[in-house]
mmCIF file of all heavy atoms in Angstrom:
data_model
loop_
_atom_site.group_PDB
_atom_site.id
_atom_site.type_symbol
_atom_site.label_atom_id
_atom_site.label_comp_id
_atom_site.label_asym_id
_atom_site.label_seq_id
_atom_site.Cartn_x
_atom_site.Cartn_y
_atom_site.Cartn_z
ATOM 1 N N ASP A 1222 153.670 185.687 63.485
ATOM 2 C CA ASP A 1222 153.130 186.446 64.622
ATOM 3 C C ASP A 1222 154.133 186.506 65.770
ATOM 4 O O ASP A 1222 154.255 187.511 66.465
ATOM 5 C CB ASP A 1222 151.817 185.805 65.116
ATOM 6 C CG ASP A 1222 150.700 185.949 64.089
ATOM 7 O OD1 ASP A 1222 150.725 186.941 63.353
ATOM 8 O OD2 ASP A 1222 149.830 185.058 64.027
ATOM 9 N N TYR A 1223 154.860 185.413 65.954
ATOM 10 C CA TYR A 1223 155.881 185.391 67.007
ATOM 11 C C TYR A 1223 156.940 186.460 66.763
ATOM 12 O O TYR A 1223 157.362 187.166 67.662
ATOM 13 C CB TYR A 1223 156.543 184.016 67.067
ATOM 14 C CG TYR A 1223 155.748 182.990 67.831
ATOM 15 C CD1 TYR A 1223 155.341 181.808 67.216
ATOM 16 C CD2 TYR A 1223 155.431 183.193 69.167
ATOM 17 C CE1 TYR A 1223 154.620 180.854 67.919
ATOM 18 C CE2 TYR A 1223 154.707 182.245 69.874
ATOM 19 C CZ TYR A 1223 154.305 181.080 69.247
ATOM 20 O OH TYR A 1223 153.587 180.143 69.945
ATOM 21 N N PHE A 1224 157.392 186.548 65.514
ATOM 22 C CA PHE A 1224 158.456 187.492 65.189
ATOM 23 C C PHE A 1224 157.974 188.940 65.215
ATOM 24 O O PHE A 1224 158.769 189.847 65.403
ATOM 25 C CB PHE A 1224 159.058 187.162 63.813
ATOM 26 C CG PHE A 1224 160.021 186.023 63.857
ATOM 27 C CD1 PHE A 1224 159.615 184.727 63.571
ATOM 28 C CD2 PHE A 1224 161.347 186.229 64.199
ATOM 29 C CE1 PHE A 1224 160.516 183.676 63.615
ATOM 30 C CE2 PHE A 1224 162.250 185.185 64.256
ATOM 31 C CZ PHE A 1224 161.832 183.898 63.960
ATOM 32 N N THR A 1225 156.682 189.156 65.007
ATOM 33 C CA THR A 1225 156.168 190.526 65.034
ATOM 34 C C THR A 1225 155.935 191.021 66.462
ATOM 35 O O THR A 1225 155.540 192.169 66.664
ATOM 36 C CB THR A 1225 154.849 190.611 64.242
ATOM 37 O OG1 THR A 1225 153.922 189.636 64.741
ATOM 38 C CG2 THR A 1225 155.089 190.371 62.759
ATOM 39 N N VAL A 1226 156.165 190.137 67.448
ATOM 40 C CA VAL A 1226 156.040 190.575 68.838
ATOM 41 C C VAL A 1226 157.073 191.647 69.143
ATOM 42 O O VAL A 1226 156.819 192.604 69.875
ATOM 43 C CB VAL A 1226 156.204 189.374 69.793
ATOM 44 C CG1 VAL A 1226 156.324 189.847 71.238
ATOM 45 C CG2 VAL A 1226 155.025 188.421 69.651
ATOM 46 N N LEU A 1227 158.267 191.519 68.535
ATOM 47 C CA LEU A 1227 159.317 192.518 68.719
ATOM 48 C C LEU A 1227 159.058 193.703 67.802
ATOM 49 O O LEU A 1227 158.667 193.533 66.645
ATOM 50 C CB LEU A 1227 160.695 191.918 68.411
ATOM 51 C CG LEU A 1227 161.196 190.845 69.383
ATOM 52 C CD1 LEU A 1227 162.527 190.292 68.901
ATOM 53 C CD2 LEU A 1227 161.352 191.420 70.784
ATOM 54 N N VAL A 1228 159.305 194.895 68.308
ATOM 55 C CA VAL A 1228 159.107 196.103 67.516
ATOM 56 C C VAL A 1228 160.301 196.287 66.579
ATOM 57 O O VAL A 1228 161.376 195.712 66.816
ATOM 58 C CB VAL A 1228 158.944 197.336 68.434
ATOM 59 C CG1 VAL A 1228 157.683 197.200 69.257
ATOM 60 C CG2 VAL A 1228 160.147 197.498 69.345
ATOM 61 N N PRO A 1229 160.151 197.095 65.525
ATOM 62 C CA PRO A 1229 161.256 197.289 64.573
ATOM 63 C C PRO A 1229 162.563 197.751 65.203
ATOM 64 O O PRO A 1229 163.636 197.356 64.761
ATOM 65 C CB PRO A 1229 160.688 198.356 63.625
ATOM 66 C CG PRO A 1229 159.211 198.122 63.654
ATOM 67 C CD PRO A 1229 158.903 197.725 65.056
ATOM 68 N N ILE A 1230 162.484 198.569 66.258
ATOM 69 C CA ILE A 1230 163.723 199.052 66.879
ATOM 70 C C ILE A 1230 164.510 197.894 67.505
ATOM 71 O O ILE A 1230 165.748 197.926 67.571
ATOM 72 C CB ILE A 1230 163.431 200.143 67.928
ATOM 73 C CG1 ILE A 1230 164.742 200.812 68.372
ATOM 74 C CG2 ILE A 1230 162.680 199.570 69.111
ATOM 75 C CD1 ILE A 1230 164.540 201.985 69.303
ATOM 76 N N ASP A 1231 163.807 196.865 67.952
ATOM 77 C CA ASP A 1231 164.489 195.687 68.487
ATOM 78 C C ASP A 1231 165.309 195.011 67.403
ATOM 79 O O ASP A 1231 166.490 194.697 67.601
ATOM 80 C CB ASP A 1231 163.453 194.694 69.052
ATOM 81 C CG ASP A 1231 163.080 194.996 70.490
ATOM 82 O OD1 ASP A 1231 163.980 194.958 71.344
ATOM 83 O OD2 ASP A 1231 161.897 195.276 70.760
ATOM 84 N N TRP A 1232 164.690 194.782 66.262
ATOM 85 C CA TRP A 1232 165.386 194.127 65.157
ATOM 86 C C TRP A 1232 166.533 194.995 64.639
ATOM 87 O O TRP A 1232 167.625 194.491 64.338
ATOM 88 C CB TRP A 1232 164.414 193.824 64.015
ATOM 89 C CG TRP A 1232 163.390 192.802 64.370
ATOM 90 C CD1 TRP A 1232 162.052 192.988 64.532
ATOM 91 C CD2 TRP A 1232 163.629 191.416 64.636
ATOM 92 N NE1 TRP A 1232 161.430 191.825 64.876
ATOM 93 C CE2 TRP A 1232 162.372 190.830 64.936
ATOM 94 C CE3 TRP A 1232 164.753 190.609 64.640
ATOM 95 C CZ2 TRP A 1232 162.232 189.471 65.237
ATOM 96 C CZ3 TRP A 1232 164.616 189.252 64.944
ATOM 97 C CH2 TRP A 1232 163.376 188.706 65.230
ATOM 98 N N ALA A 1233 166.289 196.301 64.559
ATOM 99 C CA ALA A 1233 167.322 197.206 64.056
ATOM 100 C C ALA A 1233 168.528 197.231 64.995
ATOM 101 O O ALA A 1233 169.690 197.208 64.543
ATOM 102 C CB ALA A 1233 166.752 198.612 63.890
ATOM 103 N N THR A 1234 168.270 197.258 66.290
ATOM 104 C CA THR A 1234 169.359 197.300 67.264
ATOM 105 C C THR A 1234 170.143 195.990 67.272
ATOM 106 O O THR A 1234 171.374 195.992 67.353
ATOM 107 C CB THR A 1234 168.804 197.579 68.674
ATOM 108 O OG1 THR A 1234 167.975 198.743 68.644
ATOM 109 C CG2 THR A 1234 169.940 197.806 69.650
ATOM 110 N N ALA A 1235 169.422 194.875 67.170
ATOM 111 C CA ALA A 1235 170.097 193.573 67.128
ATOM 112 C C ALA A 1235 170.972 193.462 65.883
ATOM 113 O O ALA A 1235 172.118 192.984 65.945
ATOM 114 C CB ALA A 1235 169.066 192.449 67.162
ATOM 115 N N ALA A 1236 170.422 193.922 64.745
ATOM 116 C CA ALA A 1236 171.198 193.883 63.498
ATOM 117 C C ALA A 1236 172.419 194.794 63.599
ATOM 118 O O ALA A 1236 173.522 194.445 63.146
ATOM 119 C CB ALA A 1236 170.320 194.305 62.326
ATOM 120 N N ALA A 1237 172.236 195.971 64.219
ATOM 121 C CA ALA A 1237 173.352 196.906 64.380
ATOM 122 C C ALA A 1237 174.437 196.308 65.265
ATOM 123 O O ALA A 1237 175.640 196.532 65.033
ATOM 124 C CB ALA A 1237 172.852 198.212 64.978
ATOM 125 N N THR A 1238 174.044 195.521 66.262
ATOM 126 C CA THR A 1238 175.025 194.875 67.144
ATOM 127 C C THR A 1238 175.870 193.868 66.364
ATOM 128 O O THR A 1238 177.101 193.809 66.525
ATOM 129 C CB THR A 1238 174.313 194.162 68.304
ATOM 130 O OG1 THR A 1238 173.589 195.127 69.068
ATOM 131 C CG2 THR A 1238 175.297 193.439 69.197
ATOM 132 N N VAL A 1239 175.217 193.075 65.526
ATOM 133 C CA VAL A 1239 175.953 192.097 64.708
ATOM 134 C C VAL A 1239 176.891 192.804 63.729
ATOM 135 O O VAL A 1239 178.048 192.412 63.557
ATOM 136 C CB VAL A 1239 174.969 191.175 63.955
ATOM 137 C CG1 VAL A 1239 175.726 190.243 63.009
ATOM 138 C CG2 VAL A 1239 174.135 190.358 64.935
ATOM 139 N N VAL A 1240 176.398 193.882 63.115
ATOM 140 C CA VAL A 1240 177.238 194.648 62.188
ATOM 141 C C VAL A 1240 178.428 195.268 62.925
ATOM 142 O O VAL A 1240 179.561 195.258 62.429
ATOM 143 C CB VAL A 1240 176.404 195.747 61.485
ATOM 144 C CG1 VAL A 1240 177.312 196.692 60.697
ATOM 145 C CG2 VAL A 1240 175.371 195.118 60.567
ATOM 146 N N ALA A 1241 178.179 195.785 64.124
ATOM 147 C CA ALA A 1241 179.256 196.378 64.927
ATOM 148 C C ALA A 1241 180.309 195.341 65.269
ATOM 149 O O ALA A 1241 181.518 195.620 65.239
ATOM 150 C CB ALA A 1241 178.677 196.985 66.199
ATOM 151 N N TRP A 1242 179.875 194.142 65.587
ATOM 152 C CA TRP A 1242 180.798 193.035 65.879
ATOM 153 C C TRP A 1242 181.695 192.733 64.678
ATOM 154 O O TRP A 1242 182.916 192.609 64.818
ATOM 155 C CB TRP A 1242 179.963 191.819 66.278
ATOM 156 C CG TRP A 1242 180.700 190.515 66.318
ATOM 157 C CD1 TRP A 1242 181.883 190.245 66.940
ATOM 158 C CD2 TRP A 1242 180.268 189.292 65.718
ATOM 159 N NE1 TRP A 1242 182.218 188.924 66.772
ATOM 160 C CE2 TRP A 1242 181.238 188.310 66.023
ATOM 161 C CE3 TRP A 1242 179.150 188.929 64.963
ATOM 162 C CZ2 TRP A 1242 181.122 186.991 65.599
ATOM 163 C CZ3 TRP A 1242 179.041 187.616 64.550
ATOM 164 C CH2 TRP A 1242 180.015 186.662 64.860
ATOM 165 N N LEU A 1243 181.089 192.626 63.511
ATOM 166 C CA LEU A 1243 181.862 192.345 62.297
ATOM 167 C C LEU A 1243 182.766 193.521 61.935
ATOM 168 O O LEU A 1243 183.921 193.331 61.518
ATOM 169 C CB LEU A 1243 180.912 192.033 61.139
ATOM 170 C CG LEU A 1243 180.028 190.788 61.311
ATOM 171 C CD1 LEU A 1243 179.028 190.701 60.158
ATOM 172 C CD2 LEU A 1243 180.873 189.519 61.383
ATOM 173 N N LEU A 1244 182.261 194.735 62.110
ATOM 174 C CA LEU A 1244 183.009 195.927 61.714
ATOM 175 C C LEU A 1244 184.239 196.142 62.592
ATOM 176 O O LEU A 1244 185.334 196.396 62.079
ATOM 177 C CB LEU A 1244 182.103 197.157 61.774
ATOM 178 C CG LEU A 1244 182.730 198.480 61.320
ATOM 179 C CD1 LEU A 1244 183.169 198.396 59.867
ATOM 180 C CD2 LEU A 1244 181.744 199.622 61.504
ATOM 181 N N ILE A 1245 184.088 196.024 63.900
ATOM 182 C CA ILE A 1245 185.236 196.252 64.785
ATOM 183 C C ILE A 1245 186.294 195.183 64.567
ATOM 184 O O ILE A 1245 187.497 195.454 64.661
ATOM 185 C CB ILE A 1245 184.780 196.295 66.274
ATOM 186 C CG1 ILE A 1245 185.930 196.805 67.165
ATOM 187 C CG2 ILE A 1245 184.316 194.932 66.733
ATOM 188 C CD1 ILE A 1245 186.350 198.204 66.907
ATOM 189 N N GLY A 1246 185.864 193.974 64.245
ATOM 190 C CA GLY A 1246 186.827 192.921 63.937
ATOM 191 C C GLY A 1246 187.633 193.247 62.698
ATOM 192 O O GLY A 1246 188.855 193.052 62.660
ATOM 193 N N TRP A 1247 186.953 193.766 61.673
ATOM 194 C CA TRP A 1247 187.646 194.122 60.429
ATOM 195 C C TRP A 1247 188.608 195.289 60.660
ATOM 196 O O TRP A 1247 189.737 195.286 60.150
ATOM 197 C CB TRP A 1247 186.623 194.501 59.357
ATOM 198 C CG TRP A 1247 187.237 194.615 57.992
ATOM 199 C CD1 TRP A 1247 187.367 193.631 57.059
ATOM 200 C CD2 TRP A 1247 187.819 195.794 57.420
ATOM 201 N NE1 TRP A 1247 187.996 194.115 55.933
ATOM 202 C CE2 TRP A 1247 188.279 195.442 56.120
ATOM 203 C CE3 TRP A 1247 187.988 197.103 57.850
ATOM 204 C CZ2 TRP A 1247 188.890 196.359 55.279
ATOM 205 C CZ3 TRP A 1247 188.603 198.018 57.019
ATOM 206 C CH2 TRP A 1247 189.052 197.639 55.739
ATOM 207 N N ILE A 1248 188.185 196.268 61.438
ATOM 208 C CA ILE A 1248 189.039 197.432 61.715
ATOM 209 C C ILE A 1248 190.298 197.009 62.484
ATOM 210 O O ILE A 1248 191.404 197.473 62.196
ATOM 211 C CB ILE A 1248 188.256 198.494 62.511
ATOM 212 C CG1 ILE A 1248 187.169 199.114 61.634
ATOM 213 C CG2 ILE A 1248 189.191 199.584 63.034
ATOM 214 C CD1 ILE A 1248 186.245 200.061 62.374
ATOM 215 N N ILE A 1249 190.132 196.128 63.452
ATOM 216 C CA ILE A 1249 191.273 195.671 64.252
ATOM 217 C C ILE A 1249 192.254 194.870 63.411
ATOM 218 O O ILE A 1249 193.475 195.015 63.549
ATOM 219 C CB ILE A 1249 190.773 194.830 65.451
ATOM 220 C CG1 ILE A 1249 190.075 195.737 66.469
ATOM 221 C CG2 ILE A 1249 191.925 194.076 66.110
ATOM 222 C CD1 ILE A 1249 189.381 194.987 67.585
ATOM 223 N N GLU A 1250 191.733 194.047 62.521
ATOM 224 C CA GLU A 1250 192.602 193.187 61.721
ATOM 225 C C GLU A 1250 193.124 193.857 60.452
ATOM 226 O O GLU A 1250 194.073 193.370 59.844
ATOM 227 C CB GLU A 1250 191.850 191.903 61.351
ATOM 228 C CG GLU A 1250 191.517 191.036 62.558
ATOM 229 C CD GLU A 1250 190.684 189.823 62.205
ATOM 230 O OE1 GLU A 1250 190.542 189.536 60.984
ATOM 231 O OE2 GLU A 1250 190.165 189.160 63.122
ATOM 232 N N HIS A 1251 192.517 194.993 60.070
ATOM 233 C CA HIS A 1251 192.965 195.725 58.875
ATOM 234 C C HIS A 1251 193.116 197.218 59.181
ATOM 235 O O HIS A 1251 192.459 198.054 58.543
ATOM 236 C CB HIS A 1251 191.975 195.531 57.724
ATOM 237 C CG HIS A 1251 191.763 194.093 57.351
ATOM 238 N ND1 HIS A 1251 190.842 193.284 57.995
ATOM 239 C CD2 HIS A 1251 192.356 193.315 56.402
ATOM 240 C CE1 HIS A 1251 190.873 192.085 57.448
ATOM 241 N NE2 HIS A 1251 191.779 192.064 56.497
ATOM 242 N N PRO A 1252 193.956 197.565 60.149
ATOM 243 C CA PRO A 1252 194.121 198.981 60.482
ATOM 244 C C PRO A 1252 194.989 199.688 59.448
ATOM 245 O O PRO A 1252 195.609 199.050 58.591
ATOM 246 C CB PRO A 1252 194.831 198.923 61.845
ATOM 247 C CG PRO A 1252 195.653 197.679 61.757
ATOM 248 C CD PRO A 1252 194.822 196.698 60.967
ATOM 249 N N THR A 1253 195.034 200.999 59.545
ATOM 250 C CA THR A 1253 195.909 201.759 58.656
ATOM 251 C C THR A 1253 197.360 201.579 59.100
ATOM 252 O O THR A 1253 197.641 201.250 60.252
ATOM 253 C CB THR A 1253 195.546 203.252 58.694
ATOM 254 O OG1 THR A 1253 195.722 203.750 60.031
ATOM 255 C CG2 THR A 1253 194.093 203.464 58.266
ATOM 256 N N ALA A 1254 198.274 201.819 58.174
ATOM 257 C CA ALA A 1254 199.697 201.656 58.492
ATOM 258 C C ALA A 1254 200.154 202.660 59.552
ATOM 259 O O ALA A 1254 201.064 202.379 60.335
ATOM 260 C CB ALA A 1254 200.525 201.812 57.224
ATOM 261 N N LYS A 1255 199.519 203.833 59.586
ATOM 262 C CA LYS A 1255 199.914 204.864 60.544
ATOM 263 C C LYS A 1255 199.417 204.575 61.961
ATOM 264 O O LYS A 1255 199.959 205.117 62.925
ATOM 265 C CB LYS A 1255 199.390 206.226 60.077
ATOM 266 C CG LYS A 1255 200.046 206.742 58.793
ATOM 267 C CD LYS A 1255 199.514 208.111 58.441
ATOM 268 C CE LYS A 1255 200.185 208.657 57.182
ATOM 269 N NZ LYS A 1255 199.665 210.007 56.819
ATOM 270 N N ARG A 1256 198.378 203.763 62.094
ATOM 271 C CA ARG A 1256 197.817 203.470 63.415
ATOM 272 C C ARG A 1256 197.525 201.975 63.530
ATOM 273 O O ARG A 1256 196.370 201.541 63.494
ATOM 274 C CB ARG A 1256 196.554 204.289 63.656
ATOM 275 C CG ARG A 1256 196.095 204.302 65.113
ATOM 276 C CD ARG A 1256 194.913 205.220 65.316
ATOM 277 N NE ARG A 1256 194.499 205.259 66.715
ATOM 278 C CZ ARG A 1256 195.062 206.010 67.656
ATOM 279 N NH1 ARG A 1256 196.075 206.791 67.331
ATOM 280 N NH2 ARG A 1256 194.632 205.997 68.901
#
């Protein structure tokens, strides 16, 4: 019940933030040779 207090968009946005954190780190550390 505690966890259902947050609406799905809250969980989706939080998950997207974590994914964005991991993704930008990977892009920075594994860029293309041209850039």
Side-chain angles (χ1 to χ4, degrees):
D1222 292 330
Y1223 279 122
F1224 281 95
T1225 54
V1226 170
L1227 292 177
V1228 295
I1230 190 174
D1231 274 299
W1232 293 112
T1234 308
T1238 299
V1239 175
V1240 171
W1242 167 50
L1243 297 173
L1244 183 61
I1245 191 64
W1247 191 90
I1248 291 174
I1249 289 172
E1250 295 176 11
H1251 302 86
T1253 61
K1255 293 182 179 180
R1256 194 175 182 82

